Amino acid sequence: MSLRQKTYDLKKRMQGAMLGGGSKAIEKQKATGKMTARERIVSILDPDTFHEYDIFVEHAGKDFDMDKKYLPGDGVITGTGTINGYPMCIFAQDFTVAGGSLGYMHAKKICKIMDHAMKLKVPIIGINDSGGARIQEGVNALAGYGDIFYRNTQASGVIPQISVILGPCAGGAVYSPALTDFVFVVDKISKMFITGPEVIKTVLGEEISQENLGGARVHAEISGNAHFFAHSEQECFEQIKDLVSYIPWNNKKTAESFPPKAPKSRDYKIGTIFPTNPAEPYDVRSIIKSIVDNSEFLEVSELFASNIVIGYARINGDTVGFVANQPLNRAGVLDCDSSDKAARFVRFCDSFNIPLVTMVDLPGYLPGIDQEHAGVIRHGAKLLYAYSEATVPKITVILRKAYGGGYIAMCSHHLKADFVFAWPTAEIAVMGPEGAANIIFRSEIMNAEDPEEMRRVKVQEYKEKFANPYVAAAYGYVDAVIQPNETREYVTHALKIGKSKEEYRPEKKHGVPPF
Ligand code: HXC
């Protein structure tokens, strides 16, 4: 063949592969409100940056007449590109080809691009839209999943891993996203479950729809398996681009710096956000916005365990991870879910050189039989472990209540915070004044002529003595009591001073966190 013929031949082959599962399957995909796999990839990446590889890979199935079938690219598209100029490796399962099911070569393609990402030290994005293990390929399909899970684990803490669920992700297939750092879901499109409604009906006799079992809202709000919820695929892609701008490419780098911007101080005034009455709630996200660049805050897991807030912002142009109790929800208590949520976030930030700023206002751990039986001891310990292990700069600001175990857990000096600042409104004590007075002044209250008046007097006495930042400051547990409007200046200074921080932990293979 001449060069012209060979070029034409390549073009024809490419056209065939590009059709995926064919126009009928594509129509079906679109009818359900879904983009095709290639459309998704080019929508996430910067224009004209996608380079596709392994387009001519063929499936290895032999049984059940599979050898007579052509599955373009074996149902998965892989390649590289950039997002806002940052390099990325990416794969997208193509549901139009055998339901995006995972066969031997499909898995090999995913493993290959994951290996590339690890070698090149760039983030990996995986778009999941699949009927799961390709039934006709039997154990080879299962092996493929195992190979992917192993790589997810090896890549953990080395490169950021992002999973996007844009269709079914069922059975053991869910464990790859679960092993990654961020899971994005889209309303009415994402479906994740270990066992689907049919199996549940057969085994347990319970009936539930796919949406109510494992839809996007379920995972964003109830199970906590998803970290970002979007109403459309396009919104989801914008969220991914935003997230990528805050995190580094790998664990040897720091996140990209941006030109510093002042907070929007007219919209976010601490004096108006923070209530005078200590029993009144407020939105801690507004406090965060009052001190960060351009008042921009990207919240992670916004809908799950919202008694704690986690997310990214920039201070003086550099990324900072925020962990803050949210007085708007359950007074900001720590419980099983909020401890898990914050602990995982702290570990991500620590792995990827993102300094942590912790804002404290909580009455402690949530009491109750449910919590005790659900393992609040084990879950709560995760946060202690994550903070104690973290060696990135750690700055804590105590806004109001810091009671009991909550005071310790929210990155106190005892867990090796580098700087602890407290507002004059801070109350650092073993427990709230009411509870404390009832216990330590029980006999005085009981024997008083007017027990209620005596209780009021004793609560006030306790408040004046202990519910302030000065006792902790007297022991050096608080480095500085600062005016609220000095917070940005103190945090900025601490981050600057902490830039070259080096801290080591005892040498070991790895610890045994309370998983
Ligand atoms: C082979 C599959 C497939 C699979 C779908 N297809 N899933 N082929 N293996 N797992 C094929 C269908 O045969 C069909 O082919 C095409 O993909 C589109 O599927 P439809 O059923 O027509 O689509 P839809 O109605 O949208 O339903 C999607 C679905 C359903 C809900 C995902 O296909 C389904 O229930 N699939 C099986 C799910 C499952 O049980 N997977 C195995 C999980 S076990 P044609 O040729 O007709 O177009 C597992 C173990 C992993 O994954 C363990 C790891 C540790």
Side-chain angles (χ1 to χ4, degrees), residues 261-281:
K261 285 182 180 165
K264 293 179 180 162
S265 44
R266 226 185 287 161
D267 300 336
Y268 298 97
K269 281 196 186 84
I270 293 178
T272 34
I273 303 161
F274 194 71
T276 332
N277 176 356
E280 233 179 80

Side-chain angles (χ1 to χ4, degrees), residues 246 248 254-255 311-313 315 318-323 345-346 348-358 387 390-395 418 491 494-496 498-499 501:
Y246 284 101
T254 51
Y312 302 105
I315 291 188
D318 293 326
T319 296
V320 173
F322 274 88
V323 179
F345 181 76
V346 167
F348 181 87
C349 290
D350 190 46
S351 294
F352 290 99
N353 313 310
I354 298 173
L356 285 159
V357 174
T358 303
Y387 269 131
T391 56
V392 286
K394 297 186 288 196
I395 298 149
D418 299 298
V491 172
L495 288 167
K496 197 169 170 183
K499 258 200 169 152
K501 178 183 175 187

Side-chain angles (χ1 to χ4, degrees), residues 28 95 98-99 101 131-136 142 145 149 168 170-173 210:
K28 193 177 161 194
F95 193 84
S101 56
R134 188 170 302 147
I135 295 160
Q136 299 91 327
L142 299 182
Y145 277 119
F149 302 160
Q210 285 195 10

